[in-house]
Amino acid sequence: MDSSTRSPGPTHHAACSAGNEASANRIVDVLSEIFDNDEVVAAAFERPGTSEWDISLYFESPPDQAAIRAVVAQVAGDEIAAALVFDTVEAKDWVKASLADLVPVNAGRFVVHGHHDRDRIAPNRLRIEIEAALAFGTGHHGTTRGCLMLLDLVLRQRTPERVLDLGTGTGVLAIAAAKALHRNILASDIDPRSVIVARENAALNGVGHYLEAIHAIGFGSPRFAQAGPFDLVFANILANPLRKLAAPMARHLAPSAFVILSGLLPPHARGVVAAYRGQGLRLVRRYDLDGWTSLLMQRIA
């Protein structure tokens, strides 16, 4: 049962000023990558009448304050981490409250939105609706937005036949590919719950019949060899796993295949590019959005 359907109880809260928008978004992104939706919901908001941004973190159980401060310090510095104030707030629908000002995100031909914005999206856009409790970690972060923009770039050049979304999470990238291509998409994740969520979101978006979501660690399932070789692969995860996956991924790529990589802080991008160049891929395009880097690589035929 996701956090949007639980009976609200006392909520543990943390907040602080995060400086500029990029810093606030980086904090939210990293916390959303590290913790499950069941553990924390993180939101960034611009302070009215200023250019300053604040972050709010909501926990259903008492958080490890030292661990949260350590993560924030690594991403945004010791000063912002030290300014975090932890407290407990009254029971309320905190997911809904966090998303009150969350606006649709445009990325090329795609737009990611919540249920509350369903009627505001132009019918000629490729719309991807994500339930409110799952909106963090999707198009509202620079990682996924970068991937969607790179997908839009790929689709201007060719029509991939075999597509893989490795580490699918909420399924937003697989859903985008299914909506654009109207063909079967293979998606995988190491978290069984994410596999279920991806299937549910695909059904919500009318492409459930196109999406095959499986539980797998890396390329450790025979299904990858059966469904490949792939013309397009998404891998929106983190730098270290991406480097380790370079060789097995290359073995599952078709000639001239495109690979879209994200989940990278800018300083880590060079090492990831080098790992994939070592497997016969070249860098085609790099996007830096909200403090995150997304890469488009292509296998050299």
Side-chain angles (χ1 to χ4, degrees), residues 173-296:
L173 298 177
I175 293 167
K179 287 205 164 199
L181 295 168
H182 302 287
R183 61 187 57 187
N184 294 335
I185 309 295
L186 179 63
S188 71
D189 205 281
I190 64 174
D191 182 359
R193 290 176 298 172
S194 292
V195 173
I196 295 170
V197 168
R199 291 171 181 161
E200 291 174 346
N201 281 335
L204 173 69
N205 283 272
V207 292
H209 56 296
Y210 287 128
L211 183 71
E212 178 187 355
I214 64 172
H215 174 233
I217 299 174
F219 283 90
S221 167
R223 187 68 188 114
F224 294 109
Q226 296 165 1
F230 298 101
D231 304 298
L232 173 64
V233 177
F234 301 102
N236 182 12
I237 41 181
L238 295 170
N240 285 336
L242 285 177
R243 285 193 292 266
K244 294 177 182 178
L245 286 168
M249 186 180 297
R251 293 193 291 269
H252 289 82
L253 296 178
S256 302
F258 284 105
V259 176
I260 295 175
L261 308 174
S262 196
L264 305 169
L265 294 173
H268 300 158
R270 181 178 296 181
V272 172
V273 169
Y276 284 78
R277 278 181 173 159
Q279 299 298 324
L281 284 79
R282 66 183 182 94
L283 178 64
V284 177
R285 185 67 60 88
R286 168 176 172 161
Y287 285 147
D288 292 286
L289 298 170
D290 301 331
W292 293 89
T293 296
S294 300
L295 305 170
L296 176 61

Side-chain angles (χ1 to χ4, degrees), residues 111-144:
V111 58
V112 183
H113 64 92
H115 174 78
H116 56 289
D117 281 318
R118 178 184 291 176
D119 297 331
R120 298 171 52 192
I121 309 302
N124 62 335
R125 304 298 303 278
L126 288 179
R127 308 188 296 175
I128 305 165
E129 180 176 322
I130 301 297
E131 292 293 347
L134 304 172
F136 298 101
T138 61
H140 296 87
H141 291 168
T143 54
T144 308

Side-chain angles (χ1 to χ4, degrees), residues 142-155:
T143 54
T144 308
R145 189 155 60 94
C147 289
L148 290 172
M149 292 172 65
L150 289 172
L151 171 59
D152 191 48
L153 182 65
V154 168
L155 295 177

Side-chain angles (χ1 to χ4, degrees), residues 3 6 9-15 28 31 35-45 54-63 68 84-100 136:
S3 56
R6 294 190 188 96
T11 298
H12 301 271
H13 174 250
V28 168
L31 289 170
F35 298 99
D36 292 335
N37 287 326
D38 288 342
E39 298 176 281
V40 60
V41 167
F45 302 98
D54 296 332
I55 60 166
S56 287
L57 314 175
Y58 298 91
F59 311 85
E60 280 206 316
S61 58
I68 298 298
L84 271 171
V85 176
F86 291 84
D87 58 12
T88 303
V89 297
E90 63 181 323
K92 65 175 181 177
D93 187 346
W94 46 270
V95 169
K96 182 177 180 180
S98 297
L99 294 172
F136 298 101

